[in-house]
Amino acid sequence: PVLRRDQPVTDFDVTAVDILSDFLGAEERDFVNLSMKLDYEFDQFTLTSITSYDDADQELAGDSDWAATDILGIAGAAAAGFFPSLTGLTNVTGRAQSLDDDFEAFTQEFRLTSNINGRFRWLAGAWYQDREARTVLSLPVAQNTNQLGPDFFQAVGAPFPRTDFKNDELWALFGQVNYDISDRLELT
């Protein structure tokens, strides 16, 4: 059976689906999310500070050709330890891939909110984020060959790593003004 896009998942029996993969993938994920919100009340307004820290590390390994057979012949490359995420797995065949993600972010927001009960209300603030990310995708690739088949990965000396680094600083200023024109109409 095939799952249609318009078919609700609750109507689909996942036990009736044949898994097309050489091996059951592996994953290890560690997530840390810390946040703190502080409100300081003043006569005319409230100062809010929201600080957060996020750290996510994950290692994933999976069959990237989605086939139940060793189409590209890399069982030897995967079993030879080219993929750290596959260490300890047995019967690893097919086109295995390994993905290693590390993400870290610090976020700070300061917000002023009017706390006067009247027709005119306002909000103003600033937001900042500093984030770093590293992604390494490893695929076994043969050197100096363009053929497919069982011998394709015999020349593999190491996996082909694709590494991306990102270091971003983001910031924003924001505000909103509300005015009650009547009991039933508000201008924003």
Side-chain angles (χ1 to χ4, degrees), residues 59-110:
E59 292 182 18
L60 308 170
D63 184 356
S64 64
D65 67 8
W66 294 68
T69 59
D70 190 4
I71 291 177
L72 299 176
I74 66 158
F82 291 127
F83 305 103
S85 297
L86 299 179
T87 304
L89 294 179
T90 57
N91 299 324
V92 176
T93 59
R95 186 175 173 91
Q97 66 177 347
S98 175
L99 178 66
D100 183 12
D101 272 330
D102 294 316
F103 174 83
E104 188 173 4
F106 168 79
T107 306
Q108 178 65 56
E109 178 180 326
F110 292 109

Side-chain angles (χ1 to χ4, degrees), residues 146-166:
N146 59 2
Q147 69 183 44
L148 292 176
D151 299 326
F152 182 64
F153 288 106
Q154 286 185 353
V156 172
F160 169 73
R162 164 75 191 255
T163 304
D164 292 316
F165 292 98
K166 293 181 181 178

